[in-house]
Amino acid sequence: MIYLLPLLSVILGYAIALILKPTNRKNLKLLLAFSGSFLLSLTVMHLLPEVYETSLHAHHGHDHDHSHNSPIGIYIMAGIIFQIILEYFSKGAEHGHVHGSGHNHEHDHSKMPWLLFISLCIHALLEGMPVSHHHDMAWGIAIHHFPIAIILTAFFINSGLNKTIVMLFMLVFAFMTPLGTLLSEQLHFIEHYFTEISAVVIGILFHISSTIIFESNEGHKFNLAKLLAIILGVIMAYFL
């Protein structure tokens, strides 16, 4: 199930974009706000406490004068910085921030956007790694990837990319998160540094999910629907 959820969410998002051709950006923004809130809540409530707890046990017995200065914080900040660097290449596609998913951009990106593709795949691969130990994160990543897959597919097709290339792009993207989970389970190197890698991924998820929530609140105007979508994401993550 932990392999299937993130995989199927991308394929489902791709299929919906092809069949329904969604044009209502308000609904997509609500879905994005919910997914960002859900992912952030899962990270804060489930992944973050366990990573800190594991780190404290690992450093138990060290000079306790340094116990308050946990290296985990450094790894989390490294994850945030790494995600900022990735977004220079992906243009923020991880949080649905691609231009042209609406109209009149057919001439903009008719060539394969390799930098976007590679950075998205790195991002999705890393996201899958903590799932091997935290199975509930599979739900968070699946719900996060679903609206992104819809937006990306619509963007690529509207950009005039070959439909076969779009399908292959989305398939590779879909398999990246399960691949990250598999590598995390099979490779001793990843297992040995699992806490540190998880902390980097927490930083990545912090940056993406908070960006989604802030971006969904356009012009800082009060929007009850978006607020409710965000609250629903928090409640669902709490009970998962």
Side-chain angles (χ1 to χ4, degrees), residues 25 29 213-222 226:
R25 292 179 69 85
K29 282 190 180 294
I213 291 168
F214 293 135
E215 279 189 351
S216 70
N217 187 18
E218 284 176 344
H220 301 282
K221 285 182 286 197
F222 181 74
K226 279 171 191 162

Side-chain angles (χ1 to χ4, degrees), residues 96-160:
H97 197 253
V98 287
H99 299 288
S101 50
H103 347 263
N104 302 326
H105 284 256
E106 288 82 4
H107 58 281
D108 284 351
H109 296 278
S110 53
K111 289 180 182 172
M112 178 66 178
W114 283 109
L115 285 175
L116 185 149
F117 175 68
I118 292 163
S119 56
L120 264 184
C121 286
I122 292 169
H123 162 79
L125 184 79
L126 287 169
E127 273 186 332
M129 288 181 178
V131 175
S132 60
H133 287 49
H134 305 273
H135 293 183
D136 49 5
M137 289 304 294
W139 283 101
I141 290 161
I143 288 170
H144 160 53
H145 281 178
F146 175 64
I148 303 297
I150 295 173
I151 292 164
L152 274 177
T153 305
F155 169 68
F156 289 142
I157 288 169
N158 290 344
S159 299

Side-chain angles (χ1 to χ4, degrees), residues 8-84:
L8 291 176
S9 75
V10 174
I11 292 169
L12 186 63
Y14 165 75
I16 283 173
L18 278 188
I19 298 160
L20 301 179
K21 297 181 173 60
T23 53
N24 190 329
R25 292 179 69 85
K26 276 189 180 175
N27 288 347
L28 278 175
K29 282 190 180 294
L30 279 181
L31 191 55
L32 271 172
F34 168 75
S35 74
S37 164
F38 186 72
L39 189 63
L40 183 60
S41 302
L42 273 182
T43 306
V44 172
M45 294 177 195
H46 298 265
L47 194 55
L48 186 64
E50 197 162 316
V51 164
Y52 265 107
E53 198 178 322
T54 308
S55 172
L56 282 172
H57 285 310
H59 292 86
H60 196 64
H62 286 211
D63 183 0
H64 69 82
D65 286 343
H66 299 284
S67 62
H68 66 282
N69 200 12
S70 170
I72 289 301
I74 296 292
Y75 288 109
I76 292 171
M77 292 312 298
I80 291 172
I81 292 164
F82 181 67
Q83 182 56 37
I84 290 167

